[in-house]
């Protein structure tokens, strides 16, 4: 069993966690005793929210719903390259921005992202999309 100290990525509180892993799989998580932020405690997400890391259902490649080779909401998921997936997202976001304005888009970020990823995502919304409509599940 290997123990690795990390900072919980779920929210901005910054609790210290010891992840116990075996064969490169996280088996359990414990709060780091004496840490000034969480004093050994963890909320439910920090304590039990790690199974996704090694889940076989985890998406590792982008998928796009396609019908007859092109994007369609009624289509079936097809594995695509990152370039194709990002191009589709950019074109759809531009379409919404042009038709309804920047503030019609809301950046709602996931607790499953790291703090750094969320920082970059809110930068994208503010600097590129042009809206301050950003939200995160750690707002509680
Ligand atoms: S999600 Fe829970 S355990 Fe993780 S940093 Fe936030 S409060 Fe701490």
């Amino acid at each position: 069993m290997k123990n690795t100290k990390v900072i919980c990525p779920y929210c901005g509180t910054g609790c210290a966690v010891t992840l116990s892993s075996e064969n490169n799989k996280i088996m359990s998580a414990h709060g780091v005793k004496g840490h000034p932020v969480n004093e050994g405690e963890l909320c439910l997400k920090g304590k039990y929210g790690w199974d996704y890391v090694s889940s076989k259902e985890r998406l590792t490649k982008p998928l796009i719903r396609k019908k007859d080779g092109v994007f369609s909401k009624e289509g079936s998921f097809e594995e695509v390259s990152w370039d194709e997936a990002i191009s589709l997202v950019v074109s759809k976001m531009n379409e919404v921005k042009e038709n309804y304005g920047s503030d019609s888009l809301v950046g709602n970020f996931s607790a499953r992202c790291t703090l750094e990823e969320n920082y970059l995502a809110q930068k994208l919304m503010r600097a590129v999309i042009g809206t301050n409509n950003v939200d995160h599940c750690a707002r509680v």
Side-chain angles (χ1 to χ4, degrees):
M1 191 74 76
K2 177 182 171 189
N3 290 322
T4 308
K5 283 187 184 171
V6 300
I7 300 298
C8 176
Y10 275 114
C11 83
T13 303
C15 297
V17 187
T18 300
L19 295 175
S20 298
S21 59
E22 203 171 88
N23 298 324
N24 215 23
K25 182 178 180 183
I26 297 170
M27 307 303 283
S28 63
H30 304 279
V32 175
K33 286 191 172 52
H35 191 274
V37 172
N38 55 317
E39 297 181 345
E41 303 294 328
L42 294 173
C43 76
L44 289 175
K45 289 189 287 187
K47 177 72 180 159
Y48 299 109
W50 300 96
D51 53 336
Y52 77 94
V53 174
S54 54
S55 170
K56 293 194 183 332
E57 294 179 8
R58 186 174 180 182
L59 296 179
T60 57
K61 295 184 177 158
L63 305 172
I64 292 179
R65 281 191 187 277
K66 286 187 176 183
K67 194 172 182 181
D68 299 325
V70 294
F71 168 74
S72 168
K73 290 181 200 172
E74 288 76 40
S76 304
F77 282 120
E78 287 184 26
E79 199 174 294
V80 296
S81 69
W82 281 103
D83 281 349
E84 184 177 350
I86 290 169
S87 292
L88 179 65
V89 171
V90 168
S91 73
K92 290 296 175 188
M93 288 178 83
N94 279 333
E95 197 178 298
V96 171
K97 187 177 165 182
E98 283 163 20
N99 290 334
Y100 305 103
S102 296
D103 283 336
S104 63
L105 289 159
V106 177
N108 193 352
F109 307 117
S110 167
R112 299 249 183 211
C113 295
T114 64
L115 297 175
E116 292 80 4
E117 288 163 340
N118 279 319
Y119 175 80
L120 292 172
Q122 65 84 26
K123 271 294 203 195
L124 172 76
M125 293 307 291
R126 290 192 164 107
V128 178
I129 302 298
T131 181
N132 287 322
N133 289 340
V134 292
D135 198 5
H136 187 276
C137 77
R139 65 193 172 281
V140 290

